[in-house]
Amino acid sequence: MIWGWNKLLSRLVLNDDMAELLVKSFTQETESVLNDIKKEHGLDTGNFRNGGSWDKRFGRIKDVALQNDLVVLTRSRGIWTFVCVLDLGTGSLYIFSKEKNLDVVIKNFGKKRVHYFHAFVSLNSGPLEFANKQMTLFESLTEEYENKRLFEVQKILGEEYPLVKQVIFVVGQEIDKKIVGVEARLFNRYFELIDKANWTAYVSKDEY
């Protein structure tokens, strides 16, 4: 964590009740619903499970957000459609991801392909200080790469682009295909972790 940013997240995140509702909708099990679909339609391979699981999660997140005066953004990138949630009061946009997926995206940051997470995080602030080793990475980000990030985030957000002040990732930690922990993470525009909040207490454990 970078000095000077400590506890910044606590001023940007949702209140505890709203955070709990979103986390529960994100972490409730989807297996029983998918099994019912498989039986009803006679699906043998189960190839639909990953997409179907996210469809169910995003549906629950959308319902909770709309019931609590949050703005729901349904967006597409290629063949992938996802839901994110905007709190107009703070300008915080919430992106939902499993930790293993986020780790891969962070590992590929700064390379030729701009993932939509790379585009979203460009809306966050830069670092207050950094080591010489880190400076080399940041200086290696070309103007072309940064322009791509800006273009992508503007294209994805559309008319909501001016409303987003920062992006917060809601990250699920998964074991044996079950989400057992959740953190809210705030990164700077270079995907360095600035602050995080442990939301594991809100995980829908009784569903497992």
Side-chain angles (χ1 to χ4, degrees):
M1 186 180 299
I2 298 175
W3 294 107
W5 292 80
N6 192 22
K7 303 305 179 185
L8 176 62
L9 189 58
S10 64
R11 301 196 296 272
L12 299 176
V13 296
L14 298 161
N15 62 55
D16 290 345
D17 290 341
M18 189 64 251
E20 181 174 2
L21 289 173
L22 278 181
V23 170
K24 285 189 180 301
S25 64
F26 175 43
T27 59
Q28 284 175 354
E29 65 91 22
T30 59
E31 193 68 16
S32 61
V33 176
L34 297 179
N35 285 336
D36 289 344
I37 293 173
K38 183 178 179 180
K39 291 176 183 177
E40 181 178 351
H41 296 280
L43 302 175
D44 295 327
T45 64
N47 290 332
F48 70 98
R49 284 186 176 274
N50 184 56
S53 178
W54 274 107
D55 283 347
K56 188 61 181 176
R57 286 194 181 94
F58 284 144
R60 289 168 174 166
I61 291 167
K62 177 180 179 179
D63 290 344
V64 165
L66 291 176
Q67 291 165 10
N68 289 274
D69 298 322
L70 298 173
V71 177
V72 173
L73 305 183
T74 302
R75 296 294 187 265
S76 296
R77 177 76 186 272
I79 62 172
W80 177 245
T81 299
F82 59 94
V83 166
C84 43
V85 174
L86 175 61
D87 178 7
L88 292 175
T90 61
S92 295
L93 182 70
Y94 293 85
I95 307 294
F96 298 84
S97 176
K98 293 181 182 179
E99 186 172 52
K100 61 182 180 181
N101 297 335
L102 181 61
D103 288 346
V104 171
V105 172
I106 294 175
K107 183 178 180 181
N108 290 322
F109 175 71
K111 298 181 181 179
K112 186 175 181 180
R113 180 176 179 271
V114 176
H115 189 278
Y116 71 95
F117 285 4
H118 300 155
F120 275 133
V121 84
S122 71
L123 295 173
N124 291 352
S125 300
L128 294 179
E129 59 184 54
F130 26 28
N132 292 333
K133 182 173 67 173
Q134 294 170 315
M135 279 295 294
T136 303
L137 169 63
F138 302 148
E139 290 173 350
S140 72
L141 298 180
T142 65
E143 183 177 353
E144 179 184 7
Y145 183 82
E146 292 289 32
N147 286 339
K148 282 183 179 179
R149 289 211 287 169
L150 177 61
F151 174 77
E152 287 295 333
V153 76
Q154 289 177 333
K155 182 173 69 172
I156 293 170
L157 290 177
E159 63 184 18
E160 278 79 23
Y161 171 73
L163 304 177
V164 180
K165 306 304 179 186
Q166 58 276 322
V167 174
I168 296 170
F169 287 84
V170 182
V171 184
Q173 296 147 350
E174 192 176 47
I175 297 176
D176 295 330
K177 298 183 179 181
K178 298 175 183 177
I179 297 178
V180 297
V182 172
E183 289 182 343
R185 298 181 187 177
L186 177 66
F187 299 91
N188 65 27
R189 60 180 287 106
Y190 301 113
F191 252 131
E192 287 186 308
L193 184 64
I194 295 172
D195 202 357
K196 63 182 180 180
N198 189 340
W199 284 356
T200 298
Y202 305 144
V203 171
S204 186
K205 296 182 178 66
D206 57 326
E207 297 293 335
Y208 299 117

